[in-house]
Amino acid sequence: MRIGAFSDVHSNLEALTAVSHFLKQEGTQQLLCLGDVVGYGPDPEACIKLLQTVRARIVAGNHDWGVAGRTPIHQFNHLARFALQWTRKHLTLAHRLFLKNLPLTFDLGPLHLVHAAPSAPNRWDYIFTVEDALSEMGAFTTDICLIGHTHIPLFIEQISNKPPREITDSSFPLRPNARYLINLGSVGQPRDGDPRSCCALIDLNEHRFSFHRIPYCITETKKKLRAVGLPEPLADRLTYGR
Ligand code: ZN
């Protein structure tokens, strides 16, 4: 089975469209979204609809639950809060309920899906480094845990009982004697200095993971973001990928 996986779409329709085209071309049979479908960007409704159309399986992100009222809005910084309140106003009740009913985690074969740290999914902790991941490797029972939340890709491998290490290659084998914690970066608002969208292919037959960067029309997203009155820094950061 060939799986397409990505995270943190953040209402960026141009980015999500580019990523879903790429993953379709690659012959994926299932799409997985690691949360934060909405927040920050100008197209929450269209992004939810696209993910529903392609039957993506989705876990809840803090922005999804923030919009739905399940995560308190005071936990967000002022830019995120402004965008959350804007998003709430621009979603139908049905779509707010859709976000509210997203699960915090689920397992699919060897994969465990969760937006933030697996040890406490609704505390929304960040995993930026191998050190952050040390205590998290025991928090899931599957071979592979997929996460998002930081908008910065990170691939961690733990072979047998050795200390976990970071993998810097963008494509690597999924070894039978190893476990993995993989942060998929972000589709709609990357923060690692590369503005292109992030997504991954997981081939469960070939036992291989590959990470991909997909360009999209950033100018168009920025134009829409300004037109609906979302704050200028949210447009700027798309250009810089920060
Ligand atoms: Zn996010």
Side-chain angles (χ1 to χ4, degrees), residues 200-216:
L201 286 166
I202 302 162
D203 196 315
L204 294 179
N205 301 331
E206 304 279 328
H207 305 286
R208 191 150 199 101
F209 174 91
S210 63
F211 188 69
H212 303 268
R213 298 309 285 252
I214 313 295
Y216 71 96

Side-chain angles (χ1 to χ4, degrees), residues 5 8 32 39 86 93 153 188 194 202:
D8 295 84
L32 303 176
W86 180 91
L93 177 62
D194 182 343
I202 302 162

Side-chain angles (χ1 to χ4, degrees), residues 62 116-117 124-128 132 148-150 191:
N62 52 323
W124 314 114
D125 292 339
Y126 294 90
I127 299 173
F128 286 107
D132 295 340
H149 197 38
T150 62
R191 294 179 191 160

